[in-house]
Amino acid sequence: MEENKEIREEQPAENISAAGSGGEVEQSNIPPLSGTAIIETINTAKEKDMEVHHHTHAAHGKKNWKAYFWEFLMLFLAVFCGFLAEYQLEHKIERDREKVYMQNMLEDLKADTAIYADYLARNAVVRDLLDTITVLIKRPDRKKYISKLAYSARILTAKWKQIAMVKRTYEDMKSSGHLRLIRNKEVSGKVSSYYNSLSELDTYNNVGMIWANNYAQAMAKLFDGEDLLKIIKEKKEIPLTADAMISEDKIAMNELLTSAGYFYGALSLNNIVAANRNQDAKKLIELLQKAYHLE
């Protein structure tokens, strides 16, 4: 009750306003409010504010189908664009990797052509040595030429060696499944054809090794082993006496010539194959340089 009394006493002062220039003060016509009325007015205002706030939230929380559609569309586009970016990046990485592989394969092929050239040159020397052996060993005065005959017989197997091509890049791509990176169909076909054809060289390598072993065994029946060792150490023709030839048995000499003949045949066949593969390698080099702008 005392609070209401104080409010009533203070209320007229709030409703006094200045009137006129004479400084007269007049009481407002608005009737004074009781304390209870003020409290009720405040509560009513709060209720209306809460109602408005509630309706605002309700209005914001409600979405129609268009809003959902646009949200879905934006999400879809974001995912799709991310997929495209990743695909393009992966595609570029594979193209770069393909070119690196082709550059490495180009270097392998250049090494192959050098190997072919060396192999063909060596085989030419071996064939000349075989011809020399065949002529000299058939001579009645063969011991007169013992130094040359023994040297030719021994150095022959040292001059010959198996041919081994550089397959490093191809085997790497094959084992890792990266042959699929070669997008150019012509290049892909030529690469596979070339490297698959090298197995023929391996076949003649094995045949040559068999006849080289047979030839070495036949040679051991005709020439002194110590003199043959001197020749291989010096790697040149050295003076020898007639004793360097320990046998002139016709069967033993025929065995040497027979194994030499088969060895010669294996070399000749492998020479043809190597010459053809050499041309294939050169053509493939030109194709890779043109297709991938390599040097």
Side-chain angles (χ1 to χ4, degrees), residues 4 68 73 102 104 119 137 153 186-187 225 244 275 280 282 290:
N4 291 340
Y68 286 111
L73 181 61
M102 293 302 98
N104 293 340
Y119 180 75
I137 206 168
E186 182 181 6
V187 172
D280 293 341
K282 290 178 179 179
K290 180 180 179 180

Side-chain angles (χ1 to χ4, degrees), residues 137-174:
I137 206 168
K138 296 292 288 184
R139 292 179 63 100
D141 59 346
R142 64 184 69 89
K143 287 190 175 182
K144 182 179 178 180
Y145 304 96
I146 188 60
S147 295
K148 188 174 186 63
L149 178 58
Y151 169 77
S152 299
R154 180 62 189 91
I155 207 68
L156 183 149
T157 53
K159 291 292 184 181
W160 177 80
K161 67 176 182 179
Q162 293 181 313
I163 187 170
M165 313 320 300
V166 181
K167 304 177 184 178
R168 178 178 53 249
T169 302
Y170 178 77
E171 292 296 338
D172 183 22
M173 294 183 72
K174 184 178 178 181

Side-chain angles (χ1 to χ4, degrees), residues 75-134:
L75 180 61
F76 173 78
L77 288 176
V79 174
F80 182 69
C81 290
F83 171 78
L84 286 180
E86 184 178 357
Y87 175 79
Q88 289 297 329
L89 178 60
E90 183 178 354
H91 187 62
K92 183 181 183 303
I93 291 174
E94 289 191 347
R95 290 182 64 181
D96 292 343
R97 184 177 295 170
E98 176 191 7
K99 191 167 184 178
V100 170
Y101 272 129
M102 293 302 98
Q103 179 66 59
N104 293 340
M105 185 173 289
L106 180 64
E107 298 303 320
D108 291 350
L109 290 168
K110 288 179 179 179
D112 281 355
T113 58
I115 292 171
Y116 287 126
D118 178 70
Y119 180 75
L120 294 173
R122 282 176 170 272
N123 281 358
V125 173
V126 171
R127 289 199 304 271
D128 288 342
L129 290 171
L130 286 169
D131 289 338
T132 298
I133 294 168
T134 303

